[in-house]
């Protein structure tokens, strides 16, 4: 790009100098035959430039300005010297680029904001435990901080809203904004009931909401995206001269759902007729986006004895491929303008209410050509065993399993595909293997639930303190048996304190040692 710009200026400058030199030659020859206008003297550079720009310049690539001419040309030195005399010697010519601005524009200015908004969430991450039918939802609580920078500022209104936005990637009508995005309000807070003058400093406003369990989790898929938007707006009151811009805060919340996982793995058995192959698989039913999981697979019935010809037929595993597939279904609703009318038929009305969209994509796959154990020693008990590790792709953008009321549904399944070929060999010589050319593709599908990890796995209703009805009875009261004893008996039960003993301390120590065994006395004397 720099060499093109240089060639552009170089070509335009040379063509302009050539035309100016030709014009100077014509003007010098024409001035001999006719006299110059009185008072004009000789032709000035400004007149020459105006004349050239109107009649002689025909180069479409030439810029609208005239660069400095070379001083070595004798034909142009006469008028260039006069033009330079009219200008200051300290002035330097600069190339200007009107369409290019480097740095900050003059229109940009620092706008003084009298206040700013910030927030702090006090609740744990928003995780809904259980499915949409049984979940109790999740709590969202926090504080909004309004920082006043001026000495005083009057706030006319202060509101906050929590919305869920559903954006259709393939809407009902392609160029309709209402069909593309639907926004539903979950909660709205009016943090100021009336206008209030606030002094400089930080002012906090708490907020909280219980998000119901039927709400879908946040997701980003090729068909639909679901996001939760939190918006806060404080509107200062204008003073009548200048209007103050509203102070806004916009945040996006990440809402997740965690489904419970079974402690024991699922067991599935598949039979593939017309062969006798039977596949037995043990796999976890619930997986998470991060981590790897194991599927234990065993193939039985892969050998068959043919007594008539005294041979054994084998099914040998040649290739194994696993894939994690994600299926997305959603209903693209129609807005008010595209909704069915009264005169439409039933089929047209159902079609105009919404279009069902579906898409299937692969979020993890791998192909194996080895890694399993085969045992063909006994034809009646031949088997193939393997442990298959699978996980999501490194850069896969997946969505967790969900099923919402608006028709959005996300499901997953693990597909295992095996390629087996048939071979036979004599019973006495099993090493003489002959390929029959017969092959089979064995395909299995295992339903899998992809969900987020539950963390501590305790819902908000289980974390709450017990209510008044659930408080157990108080501890038992003290017994009144001590009232039966007299004061003397109570005094005998109390042991005397060491500080209350009278007499000399040395004598008291001797009395204590007198009651000890001799071994203890000797040890104490040796210690002294």
């Amino acid at each position: 790009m720099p060499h093109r710009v240089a060639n552009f200026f170089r070509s335009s400058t040379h063509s302009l100098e050539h035309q100016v030199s030709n014009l100077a030659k014509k003007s010098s020859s024409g001035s001999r035959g006719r006299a110059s206008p009185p008072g004009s003297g000789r032709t000035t550079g400004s007149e020459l430039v105006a004349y050239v720009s109107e009649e002689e310049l025909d180069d479409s690539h030439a810029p609208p300005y005239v660069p400095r001419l070379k001083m070595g040309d004798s034909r142009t030195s006469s008028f260039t010297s006069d033009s330079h005399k009219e200008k200051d010697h300290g002035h330097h010519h600069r190339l200007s680029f009107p369409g290019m601005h480097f740095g900050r524009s003059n229109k940009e200015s620092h706008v003084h904001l009298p206040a700013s908004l910030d927030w702090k969430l006090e609740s744990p991450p928003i995780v809904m435990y259980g499915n949409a039918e049984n979940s109790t939802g999740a709590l969202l609580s926090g504080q909004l901080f309004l920082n006043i920078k001026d000495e005083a500022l009057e706030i006319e209104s202060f509101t906050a809203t929590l919305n869920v936005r559903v954006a259709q990637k393939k809407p009902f009508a392609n160029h309709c904004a209402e069909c593309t995005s639907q926004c539903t309000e979950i909660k709205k807070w009016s943090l100021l009931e009336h206008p209030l003058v606030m002094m400089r400093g930080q002012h906090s406003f708490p907020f909280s909401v219980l998000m119901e369990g039927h709400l879908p989790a946040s997701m980003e898929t090729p068909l639909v995206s679901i996001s939760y938007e939190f918006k806060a707006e404080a509107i200062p009151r204008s003073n009548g001269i200048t209007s103050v811009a509203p102070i806004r805060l916009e945040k996006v919340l990440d809402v997740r759902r965690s489904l419970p996982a079974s402690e024991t793995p699922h067991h599935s058995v598949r039979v593939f007729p017309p062969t006798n192959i039977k596949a037995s698989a043990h796999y976890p039913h619930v997986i998470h986006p991060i981590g790897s999981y194991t599927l234990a697979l065993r193939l039985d019935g892969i050998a068959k004895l043919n007594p008539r010809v005294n041979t054994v037929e084998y099914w040998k595993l040649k290739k194994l491929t696993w894939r994690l597939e994600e299926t997305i279904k959603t209903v693209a609703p129609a807005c008010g303008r595209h909704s069915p009318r009264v005169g439409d038929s039933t089929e047209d009305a159902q079609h105009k209410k919404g279009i069902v969209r579906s898409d299937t994509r692969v979020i993890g796959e791998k192909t194996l050509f080895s890694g399993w154990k085969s045992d063909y020693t006994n034809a009646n008990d031949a088997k193939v065993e393997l442990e298959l590790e699978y996980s999501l792709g490194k850069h896969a953008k997946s969505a967790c399993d969900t099923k919402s009321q608006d028709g959005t549904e996300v499901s997953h399944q693990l597909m295992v595909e095996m390629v087996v070929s048939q071979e036979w060999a004599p019973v006495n010589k099993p090493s003489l293997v002959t390929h029959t050319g017969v092959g089979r593709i064995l395909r299995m599908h295992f339903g899998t639930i992809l969900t987020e990890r539950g963390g501590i796995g305790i819902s908000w209703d289980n974390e709450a303190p017990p209510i008044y009805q659930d408080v157990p009875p108080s501890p038992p009261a003290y017994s009144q048996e001590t009232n039966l004893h007299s004061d003397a008996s109570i005094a005998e039960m109390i042991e005397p304190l060491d500080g209350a003993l009278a007499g000399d301390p040395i004598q008291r120590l001797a009395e204590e040692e007198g009651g000890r065994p001799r071994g203890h006395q000797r040890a104490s004397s040796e210690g002294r």
Side-chain angles (χ1 to χ4, degrees):
M1 186 62 186
H3 67 277
R4 295 184 179 179
V5 177
N7 294 337
F8 168 74
F9 286 115
R10 189 180 297 111
S11 60
S12 61
T13 303
H14 292 337
S15 60
L16 183 61
E17 291 177 357
H18 179 67
Q19 294 178 12
V20 170
S21 61
N22 294 337
L23 180 61
K25 186 185 298 183
K26 293 179 181 179
S27 61
S28 61
S29 60
S31 61
R32 296 176 184 177
R34 62 178 182 272
S36 300
S40 61
R42 62 186 66 182
T43 306
T44 61
S46 61
E47 295 174 355
L48 181 59
V49 170
Y51 182 76
V52 170
S53 61
E54 293 179 359
E55 297 183 2
E56 293 294 326
L57 293 181
D58 56 354
D59 190 0
S60 60
H61 299 285
Y65 54 86
V66 180
R68 187 188 302 177
L69 300 178
K70 296 181 180 180
M71 300 303 295
D73 193 351
S74 60
R75 293 173 295 181
T76 59
S77 60
S78 58
F79 66 88
T80 53
S81 60
D82 293 341
S83 62
H84 283 292
K85 288 180 182 180
E86 298 177 1
K87 300 180 181 180
D88 296 336
H89 294 283
H91 180 71
H92 298 279
H93 294 276
R94 296 182 180 179
L95 300 177
S96 80
F97 299 90
M100 301 176 66
H101 298 279
F102 300 96
R104 186 178 297 274
S105 174
N106 296 331
K107 297 182 181 179
E108 296 181 4
S109 60
H110 297 279
V111 179
H112 173 68
L113 296 177
S116 62
L117 267 177
D118 197 3
W119 77 336
K120 180 182 179 182
L121 292 180
E122 299 175 348
S123 57
I126 306 174
V127 179
M128 299 180 182
Y129 296 95
N131 52 23
E133 291 79 10
N134 302 325
S135 177
T136 57
L139 282 176
L140 172 65
S141 62
Q143 292 189 31
L144 282 170
F145 299 101
L146 182 60
N147 301 316
I148 305 298
K149 300 179 182 179
D150 294 345
E151 292 295 334
L153 182 64
E154 184 177 3
I155 302 298
E156 186 174 357
S157 64
F158 189 14
T159 59
T161 56
L162 177 62
N163 302 324
V164 54
R165 183 176 296 277
V166 180
Q168 301 288 338
K169 304 296 182 63
K170 296 181 179 180
F172 186 88
N174 292 331
H175 302 287
C176 180
E178 297 180 359
C179 292
T180 303
S181 179
Q182 297 86 31
C183 187
T184 305
E185 183 179 295
I186 299 176
K187 180 69 175 179
K188 184 176 182 180
W189 297 271
S190 181
L191 303 176
L192 283 181
E193 297 181 357
H194 53 80
L196 181 64
V197 178
M198 296 184 179
M199 306 306 294
R200 174 180 294 184
Q202 187 181 78
H203 306 268
S204 61
F205 298 86
F207 65 92
S208 63
V209 64
L210 173 61
M211 303 181 67
E212 299 180 1
H214 65 82
L215 294 174
S218 302
M219 67 175 64
E220 183 69 28
T221 65
L223 292 181
V224 63
S225 65
I226 301 176
S227 60
Y228 290 83
E229 301 174 351
F230 181 87
K231 297 181 180 180
E233 184 180 28
I235 301 178
R237 174 168 290 183
S238 59
N239 53 10
I241 301 175
T242 58
S243 60
V244 183
I247 305 164
R248 295 186 176 93
L249 175 70
E250 296 183 2
K251 297 291 184 178
V252 178
L253 298 173
D254 186 16
V255 179
R256 302 181 180 182
R257 182 178 297 277
S258 177
L259 300 176
S262 60
E263 298 180 358
T264 58
H266 277 227
H267 182 208
S268 179
V269 178
R270 300 286 193 275
V271 180
F272 302 95
T275 65
N276 297 327
I277 301 176
K278 182 178 69 173
S280 175
H282 295 265
Y283 65 97
H285 187 52
V286 178
I287 63 175
H288 305 289
I290 299 176
S292 59
Y293 303 90
T294 303
L295 181 142
L297 184 64
R298 172 171 174 170
L299 298 180
D300 295 320
I302 57 176
K304 180 181 178 181
L305 180 62
N306 191 351
R308 293 184 302 174
V309 292
N310 200 17
T311 59
V312 180
E313 298 178 356
Y314 304 98
W315 290 101
K316 287 195 174 181
L317 181 60
K318 298 296 184 178
K319 176 183 174 182
L320 186 143
T321 302
W322 64 265
R323 282 198 304 269
L324 272 173
E325 297 178 350
E326 181 180 84
T327 303
I328 307 164
K329 295 181 181 179
T330 184
V331 178
C335 65
R337 294 182 300 173
H338 300 94
S339 59
R341 300 178 181 178
V342 180
D344 295 340
S345 60
T346 305
E347 297 181 357
D348 294 341
Q350 292 179 356
H351 174 73
K352 289 187 177 181
K353 286 183 180 180
I355 301 177
V356 179
R357 309 284 191 186
S358 62
D359 184 27
T360 301
R361 59 177 178 172
V362 178
I363 58 177
E365 63 177 340
K366 191 175 182 181
T367 301
L368 303 176
F369 296 94
S370 61
W372 47 80
K373 298 179 181 179
S374 303
D375 184 10
Y376 297 97
T377 55
N378 188 0
N380 297 326
D381 194 20
K383 59 184 178 180
V384 175
E385 295 179 342
L386 64 97
E387 288 188 356
L388 179 66
E389 289 190 359
Y390 62 97
S391 62
L392 272 69
K394 187 176 181 180
H395 302 287
K397 296 181 180 180
S398 60
C400 295
D401 279 51
T402 185
K403 187 176 182 181
S404 59
Q405 296 179 353
D406 61 352
T408 302
E409 183 179 356
V410 180
S411 60
H412 299 82
Q413 66 176 357
L414 174 64
M415 192 277 296
V416 178
E417 184 178 276
M418 297 175 291
V419 178
V420 295
S421 64
Q422 190 179 35
E423 302 174 357
W424 67 272
V427 176
N428 300 330
K429 297 180 180 180
S431 59
L432 299 178
V433 178
T434 303
H435 298 275
T436 61
V438 178
R440 299 279 182 181
I441 298 178
L442 312 179
R443 189 177 290 110
M444 297 177 290
H445 297 271
F446 305 100
T448 304
I449 297 177
L450 178 64
T451 182
E452 297 286 348
R453 296 185 181 273
I456 57 176
I458 301 176
S459 180
W460 68 272
D461 51 348
N462 296 327
E463 291 180 354
I467 59 179
Y468 182 79
Q469 290 82 358
D470 297 339
V471 176
S474 59
Y478 293 100
S479 61
Q480 302 295 330
E481 296 179 358
T482 56
N483 297 334
L484 302 177
H485 299 279
S486 62
D487 296 340
S489 61
I490 295 176
E492 292 177 358
M493 294 173 60
I494 300 176
E495 297 181 359
L497 298 176
D498 294 341
L501 296 177
D504 189 11
I506 299 177
Q507 182 180 359
R508 186 170 64 252
L509 181 61
E511 293 177 357
E512 293 178 357
E513 292 180 355
R516 298 178 183 176
R518 295 182 179 179
H520 289 276
Q521 294 179 2
R522 187 182 301 108
S524 61
S525 62
E526 291 177 358
R528 288 196 296 269

